[in-house]
Amino acid sequence: MTLRRRGEKATISIQEHMAIDVCPGPIRPIKQISDYFPRFPRGLPQDAALRTPAPPDAPARPAAASASSRSPSDGARDDDEDVDQLFGAYGSSPGPSPGPSPACPPAKPPEDEPDADGYESDDCTALGTLDFSLLYDQESNALHCTITKAKVPKLMFSRKGLKPMDHNGLADPYVKLHLLPGASKANKLRTKTLHNTLNPTWNETLTYYGITDEDMIRKTLRISVCDEDKFRHNEFIGETRVPLKKLKPNHTKTFSICLEKQLPVDKTEDKSLEERGRILISLKYSSQKQGLLVGIVRCAHLAAMDANGYSDPYVKTYLRPDVDKKSKHKTAVKKKTLNPEFNEQEFCYEIKHGDLAKKSLEVTVWDYDIGRSNDFIGGVVLGINAKGERLKHWFDCLKNKDKRIERWHTLTSELPGAVLSD
C-alpha cells in the first residue's frame, strides 16, 4: 500500500487502477467479430423462433412448453443475444423469412441504371453503330467502301447516336480506313468531316485500287470513327474491323456494326514489308521486236514524302543483272499527287525470250526534290526469285507471247538487292 503524508491527495497507481476496473464481478468472455453478423453462432434467439412460421406438416407446439424450456443458465446469455437479436432476429437464414416490419418498408428490387453520361456500359450503346457497305470489283482490282451513316442505337436512355466528344455535347465526326497488316499513311483513306452532330450521314464512297485476290485472303479492313479537333489532336470514338475474306467478288455486302474500343495493332510485323502504295504494271514479250515491253500504267495510295502531305513521284525500271548498266528507264515526274497516272509509251528491253528466265525486273518509285537527293517511296521485283503475284505475273508473261498482261503489285519500303539512291 502506498504511504502518503498528511494533507496530500490520495493517488492510485496504474496497477491498482487496472485491478479495480477488471477484478470486480465475474469474468465474462470477450465478444468475437462473428457475434456481430447474422450467423447465429448460438442458435436462433427465442423471439426469432417464435416469429418464424412453422412448416405446414410440422406438429403444433404449445407456447407454454416453449417458455418453460428456458433454464436459469440462459439468463446469463441474454446480453450476448442482444446483438444477435438486433441483426439476425428478422431472418437472414435460409429458412422462410417473416413478413416485413412496419418500421422497415420492403426494399425495392434493384433496377438497371444508366451510366453517368446517359449510356449503358455496352460498347454498342456507348460508342454507337456504323452503317456501311463493301464491294470488291475483281475485274478492276478495286475495293469500294461506302460509308452511309452512324446509326442511332436502339437501347438508349437520354442521348442518341455517337458518343459526344466536345464540350457542347456534340462531335465533329469523320471516318478513316486502313488495310491491315501494313497500315500506314500510304493506305489511309478518310471521309469529309461533319460538324456538330451525333447522327452523321456521309453517303460517301472510298475506293482502294490495286486490291488483288491475295489481298482479299490475308487483309483486314479497319474502319475508325474519329472526332476532329482544330486546336488539339483528333479524338478516337470507335472502330470496327472486317476481314476481306468474308466478301464475295462482285457482290455488295451491307454492314451495321457496333463500334468497339480501340484494339491494339500487331507491332511485330516486319517493317521491311510495310506497304508504301500500289503500282499497276503491264508486261508483254513482243516477238516482232524481240524484246520485253514494260508499261507503267499508274500508282495508287503512295506514301506522302513532302511536308504538304503529297509527293512528286516518278518511276524507274531496271532489268537485272545489268552488266552494261544500260537497262535504266525513267518516267516523267507527276507533281503533287499520291495517285499518279503515267500511261506512257512502253519501255522496251531487247532480249531473247529464253534469257528472260534468268532475269528479274526491278521497279522503284521515287519522290522528286529540288536541291537535294530524291526520296525513295517503294519498290517491287518481278522475276524467277519472286513470290506470289509477282512470280505469277512473270510466268504468265513468259508463257503468253505477244499478250499484254496487267497486274497490281504492292510497293514495300525495302527492295532486296537494290541501291536505294538516285
Side-chain angles (χ1 to χ4, degrees), residues 374-390:
N374 299 329
D375 298 321
F376 174 73
I377 296 179
V380 64
V381 176
L382 310 179
I384 193 66
N385 295 321
K387 297 180 180 179
E389 288 290 331
R390 297 167 292 167

Side-chain angles (χ1 to χ4, degrees), residues 126-174:
L127 302 180
T129 61
L130 185 68
D131 289 2
F132 61 95
S133 62
L134 298 177
L135 170 64
Y136 173 53
D137 188 342
Q138 192 174 30
E139 183 178 354
S140 61
N141 294 104
L143 175 65
H144 305 284
C145 179
T146 301
I147 306 297
T148 308
K149 63 180 180 178
K151 189 177 181 181
V152 177
K154 294 181 180 179
L155 302 176
M156 301 298 294
F157 287 94
S158 59
R159 304 189 184 102
K160 297 181 178 181
L162 296 178
K163 180 179 178 181
M165 304 299 291
D166 299 339
H167 66 279
N168 59 2
L170 300 174
D172 303 317
Y174 67 92

Side-chain angles (χ1 to χ4, degrees), residues 189-258:
L189 300 177
R190 62 162 288 174
T191 66
K192 60 185 177 183
T193 301
L194 301 181
H195 296 282
N196 297 326
T197 179
L198 297 180
N199 300 282
T201 299
W202 287 280
N203 288 324
E204 187 173 345
T205 300
L206 305 175
T207 302
Y208 278 106
Y209 295 100
I211 301 298
T212 62
D213 292 341
E214 182 182 356
D215 292 328
M216 296 299 296
I217 296 175
R218 66 184 187 92
K219 292 284 187 179
T220 297
L221 180 64
R222 177 189 182 188
I223 306 177
S224 307
V225 182
C226 300
D227 173 59
E228 186 177 272
D229 198 323
K230 294 182 179 180
F231 305 103
R232 297 180 298 175
H233 292 292
N234 296 342
E235 296 181 88
F236 176 86
I237 296 179
E239 72 168 36
T240 185
R241 299 186 183 185
V242 180
L244 297 184
K245 61 184 178 182
K246 291 185 176 181
L247 304 180
K248 296 180 180 179
N250 306 315
H251 177 73
T252 302
K253 186 170 184 179
T254 303
F255 297 85
S256 181
I257 300 181
C258 295

Side-chain angles (χ1 to χ4, degrees), residues 339-371:
N339 299 279
E341 294 187 9
F342 298 98
N343 292 320
E344 297 186 3
Q345 183 180 359
E346 296 172 320
F347 305 135
C348 182
Y349 292 98
E350 295 182 0
I351 186 174
K352 296 180 180 180
H353 183 267
D355 294 337
L356 278 178
K358 303 175 184 178
K359 298 286 186 177
S360 60
L361 179 67
E362 179 183 297
V363 182
T364 56
V365 183
W366 299 79
D367 170 54
Y368 177 76
D369 289 321
I370 300 176

